[in-house]
Amino acid sequence: MDVTIFGSGYVGLVTGACLAEVGNKVLCVDIDPAKIAVLEGGGIPIHEPGLEELVKKNRDTGRLSFSTDAAAGVAHGLFQFIAVGTPPDEDGSADLRHVLTVARTIGEHMDTYRILVDKSTVPVGTAGKVAETVREALATRGSDIEFDVVSNPEFLKEGAAIEDFMRPDRIIVGTDNPRTAELLRALYTPFNRNHDRVMLMDVRSAELTKYAANAMLATKISFMNELSNIAEALGADIEKVRIGIGSDPRIGYRFIYPGCGYGGSCFPKDVRALGRTARAIGYEARLLNAVESINRRQQGVLFEKIADHFVGGLTGRTIALWGLAFKPNTDDMREAPSRRLIESLWNAGARVRAFDPVAREEAFRIYGKRDDLILTQDAMSALEGADALVIVTEWTEFRSPDFAAIARKLNHPLLFDGRNMFDPEVVTAAGLTYFSIGRRPAGTGGA
């Protein structure tokens, strides 16, 4: 099938590459000529494992191409995927300007039946706004061309997006038109060979499903972080509690890891947007408000532990950070806990030496060149002249470090673990004092 993707960011590029991989002819359209030049030159503008190879393979076969020509994009595909950004407004609601601009563009250029597919994460009711925008553009032209608008939310995890698309848990299709539903089912047939994963529903339910899924996962994280603070105050071990409750199949082990808060492009934005949607209909979503409030507090926990330990203040101290991205296998630092920690340390007069396997360039893009920020090329170099080490992101390469070497290299043998990656007994046996989440400090080191 011929498919057009408006937006060549994370969702658009993964969607385009995966649809091309199964034989469709995909045209990705973006307004950013620099991004298109990177893609046409063989690179990709984001970090996602396996994506660069998949894009190159399908570009070389001619199944995947890129353009800034919106009219050509509208002419190309029966399916017009809208995969542009929906950044949060100041009030927390999703900004639909880019989505509606694409809808207007499609209405201005379409000359035959088209299916507009909302792939961007959008509030309930957006499909109606998209349809109205297309109708207005058609009316301006004096045209009456048939079209449909479908909600087809993405469920891609950064770092595992290709696997998620190629072997999805579910494919949500929201439409009230049986014919359109069958066309979407046909498009997704290659991803249903094991069993049918397509779930058909009305448009508004499909739109709400995406927000509900992310809000549920964020709720599990914040609930576990709330428990971790209670456990630490009571002298309990949250890791033992986690294992105890996770053994109940109604709860399970996924998304109940305590830590220093969630970040990224989805959970913070979507929790706020769903809360804003609720307020717009006169409902106060108290649980969603609590989830967000707990996460804001949890992102400050590491700094509080560091500041509490250095009773003389942090002015003149150097703190080493391992991990900048909000999660492993991505360079995404949007609302990452590392940013909250770094900026709090700067405000307290400390310097930061940081290492991340892939987010170094993103950190430099965000913060630029600063005397109080050194971005190192390897993990151990970050420890030079540092008074403590902080683990912020649970990268695989951090799982089994040489604790004795860490203790020797630091000015003070202090390890603050924001992801509970290590066994306290192993860490303290190497001479380090170990601070984690939801557990008592272990060891006797000081500063």
Side-chain angles (χ1 to χ4, degrees):
M1 296 185 178
D2 291 338
V3 178
T4 297
I5 312 282
F6 281 95
S8 296
Y10 181 80
V11 173
L13 195 55
V14 171
T15 300
C18 290
L19 288 175
E21 175 69 8
V22 296
N24 299 293
K25 191 168 184 180
V26 179
L27 174 62
C28 290
V29 179
D30 201 283
I31 62 172
D32 185 350
K35 184 182 295 184
I36 294 299
V38 168
L39 290 164
E40 289 182 331
I44 60 173
I46 59 175
H47 176 86
E48 177 63 32
L51 182 58
E52 187 168 0
E53 295 80 4
L54 194 67
V55 168
K56 182 180 185 305
K57 172 186 174 183
N58 285 282
R59 189 188 66 247
D60 291 347
T61 64
R63 291 193 298 265
L64 181 63
S65 56
F66 307 96
S67 176
T68 58
D69 188 341
V74 177
H76 172 79
L78 167 64
F79 298 97
Q80 303 275 307
F81 278 79
I82 302 177
V84 294
T86 53
D89 268 341
E90 291 182 6
D91 64 355
S93 62
D95 184 344
L96 297 178
R97 284 178 297 172
H98 303 309
V99 170
L100 298 181
T101 295
V102 172
R104 187 174 302 107
T105 298
I106 294 171
E108 289 170 348
H109 294 287
M110 61 187 288
D111 56 10
T112 188
Y113 175 69
R114 289 290 180 260
I115 300 172
L116 283 71
V117 184
D118 280 340
K119 201 69 175 171
S120 302
T121 300
V122 293
V124 176
T126 298
K129 295 179 180 179
V130 167
E132 181 60 30
T133 300
V134 174
R135 281 192 290 267
E136 289 174 357
L138 290 172
T140 299
R141 296 167 51 196
S143 299
D144 184 18
I145 302 170
E146 185 185 3
F147 68 93
D148 281 301
V149 180
V150 176
S151 175
N152 176 219
E154 54 87 12
F155 296 94
L156 306 176
K157 298 186 295 292
E158 291 192 46
I162 294 173
E163 178 72 13
D164 286 346
F165 198 102
M166 300 300 287
R167 297 177 178 82
D169 297 318
R170 73 284 208 198
I171 301 169
I172 303 293
V173 175
T175 179
D176 300 317
N177 187 332
R179 180 188 64 177
T180 307
E182 289 310 306
L183 288 169
L184 264 293
R185 188 184 291 278
L187 178 67
Y188 282 116
T189 294
F191 311 99
N192 279 301
R193 297 184 66 84
N194 182 267
H195 64 274
D196 188 6
R197 296 175 174 87
V198 173
M199 299 180 183
L200 296 175
M201 59 186 70
D202 62 278
V203 174
R204 283 180 169 251
S205 294
E207 290 173 330
L208 181 56
T209 297
K210 169 63 176 180
Y211 279 111
N214 280 350
M216 175 63 78
L217 295 174
T219 299
K220 292 184 72 173
I221 294 170
S222 279
F223 179 74
M224 202 63 191
N225 284 333
E226 188 85 302
L227 283 181
S228 73
N229 295 327
I230 296 171
E232 190 168 335
L234 291 174
D237 185 334
I238 193 62
E239 290 299 322
K240 292 182 171 61
V241 175
R242 178 182 65 81
I243 293 169
I245 66 175
S247 62
D248 186 330
R250 296 171 300 175
I251 298 174
Y253 291 105
R254 302 188 69 181
F255 279 84
I256 62 169
Y257 289 91
C260 52
Y262 61 74
S265 62
C266 295
F267 287 4
K269 174 174 70 71
D270 292 355
V271 169
R272 286 195 292 267
L274 184 55
R276 178 67 179 81
T277 296
R279 286 193 294 276
I281 58 173
Y283 183 82
E284 189 65 24
R286 295 179 181 177
L287 180 58
L288 295 179
N289 296 338
V291 167
E292 185 181 6
S293 176
I294 291 166
N295 191 62
R296 283 198 304 268
R297 182 180 64 192
Q298 199 68 17
Q299 285 196 340
V301 162
L302 280 174
F303 176 75
E304 290 173 6
K305 289 178 180 290
I306 296 167
D308 287 346
H309 182 80
F310 289 100
V311 293
L314 290 168
T315 299
R317 298 285 187 180
T318 297
I319 306 299
L321 267 62
W322 282 2
L324 294 166
F326 85 94
K327 62 177 283 188
N329 299 318
T330 180
D331 63 349
D332 194 343
M333 289 180 62
R334 284 174 286 185
E335 302 206 37
S338 64
R339 296 180 64 172
R340 171 84 171 271
L341 176 57
I342 288 170
E343 290 159 19
S344 295
L345 289 169
W346 285 339
N347 289 337
R351 297 181 297 270
V352 174
R353 294 178 63 86
F355 169 74
D356 188 283
V358 302
R360 185 175 183 273
E361 292 303 317
E362 178 65 5
F364 185 77
R365 184 191 69 79
I366 294 169
Y367 292 119
K369 185 175 177 57
R370 298 177 57 118
D371 293 337
D372 52 7
L373 176 63
I374 302 297
L375 301 169
T376 66
Q377 297 285 356
D378 62 83
M380 293 303 289
S381 293
L383 308 184
E384 294 177 5
D387 295 294
L389 168 62
V390 188
I391 308 288
V392 188
T393 312
E394 64 275 30
W395 283 94
T396 301
E397 67 182 80
F398 300 158
R399 289 182 182 175
S400 185
D402 185 337
F403 294 112
I406 292 172
R408 289 192 301 268
K409 205 167 184 66
L410 291 169
N411 291 340
H412 305 283
L414 302 171
L415 174 54
F416 295 84
D417 182 1
R419 299 299 176 185
N420 286 9
M421 294 183 69
F422 310 123
D423 181 338
E425 292 186 3
V426 174
V427 178
T428 56
L432 287 158
T433 296
Y434 183 54
F435 300 84
S436 53
I437 305 296
R439 299 184 289 193
R440 286 182 172 178
T444 58

